[in-house]
Amino acid sequence: SNFMFPSHDTVYFYNQLSPAPTPTVPAANVISLFSDAYTNVPVDTWRTGWSQANFQDVTIAGNPTKKYSNLDFVGIETVRSQINATGMTHFHTDVYSADFTTFKIKLVDFGANAAFGGGDDVEHEITISNPAQNQWISLDIPLSSFTGLTTRAHIAQLIYVGAPTANNTVYIDNVYFHN
């Protein structure tokens, strides 16, 4: 009952993860948090202390990529250098997962006082139900879809949420605002 592989067989892995597509939006129209294609603005952290996820910087075929495993939610902050996206029309991110069933994106603006709390914070979360698996998905979401994000001059938090809760791995690349 022992099973042996003949010595001439080769095992091939067909689901090798390829890098995310390269963005084509002109750099003059972009505020980038993370992309090889653009100069990135300062980001305080790609995983806040209050996040429920593991985080790793990985390289896929020479392309730097963010990897979140055991993802429930992860907070990404630009508190020290808040993003003024008032002139932007879209939020973009490329995502890849073999196992998520729902993916959410929340943007938080700290308001005119540029501080958490204070009564002028606004936020909105977008839900992508049943996203395609095992392929890069380019999410290019009109900022007008973030209806609760009524101000955009002090964006300080980006939160990604994955389901099944704490049981999915998501790769992220090309995180930027553009017009």
Side-chain angles (χ1 to χ4, degrees):
S1 69
N2 287 349
F3 183 81
M4 304 262 305
F5 285 107
S7 61
H8 58 80
D9 278 9
T10 305
V11 178
Y12 293 96
F13 295 95
Y14 292 101
N15 279 341
Q16 190 70 22
L17 181 58
S18 58
T22 302
T24 57
V25 177
N29 299 38
V30 170
I31 299 171
S32 176
L33 281 73
F34 180 71
S35 178
D36 270 6
Y38 307 111
T39 300
N40 299 318
V41 297
V43 174
D44 299 341
T45 183
W46 285 93
R47 186 202 173 279
T48 62
W50 44 265
S51 296
Q52 298 293 316
N54 298 328
F55 166 64
Q56 191 178 5
D57 278 306
V58 297
T59 301
I60 299 170
N63 186 23
T65 306
K66 305 293 183 188
K67 177 184 178 184
Y68 296 101
S69 54
N70 301 314
L71 178 62
D72 179 357
F73 61 89
V74 61
I76 297 151
E77 290 190 325
T78 55
V79 175
R80 286 196 289 266
S81 298
Q82 296 177 13
I83 295 170
N84 182 347
T86 53
M88 300 291 127
T89 58
H90 288 75
F91 174 78
H92 180 97
T93 190
D94 290 326
V95 297
Y96 178 104
S97 178
D99 48 25
F100 63 7
T101 55
T102 304
F103 187 67
K104 298 178 183 180
I105 300 167
K106 181 187 281 189
L107 293 173
V108 181
D109 185 289
F110 278 5
N113 71 359
F116 179 74
D120 62 351
D121 297 9
V122 293
E123 64 182 49
H124 191 86
E125 184 174 80
I126 298 286
T127 300
I128 294 96
S129 300
N130 302 306
Q133 296 179 346
N134 295 302
Q135 67 186 62
W136 281 101
I137 307 167
S138 289
L139 298 171
D140 207 45
I141 305 168
L143 286 172
S144 59
S145 296
F146 291 87
T147 53
L149 195 71
T150 52
T151 59
R152 298 183 199 136
H154 299 278
I155 294 178
Q157 291 177 333
L158 161 62
I159 299 163
Y160 291 127
V161 180
T165 301
N167 196 21
N168 67 107
T169 298
V170 177
Y171 295 86
I172 301 284
D173 199 358
N174 303 317
V175 181
Y176 58 86
F177 295 89
H178 74 90
N179 59 19

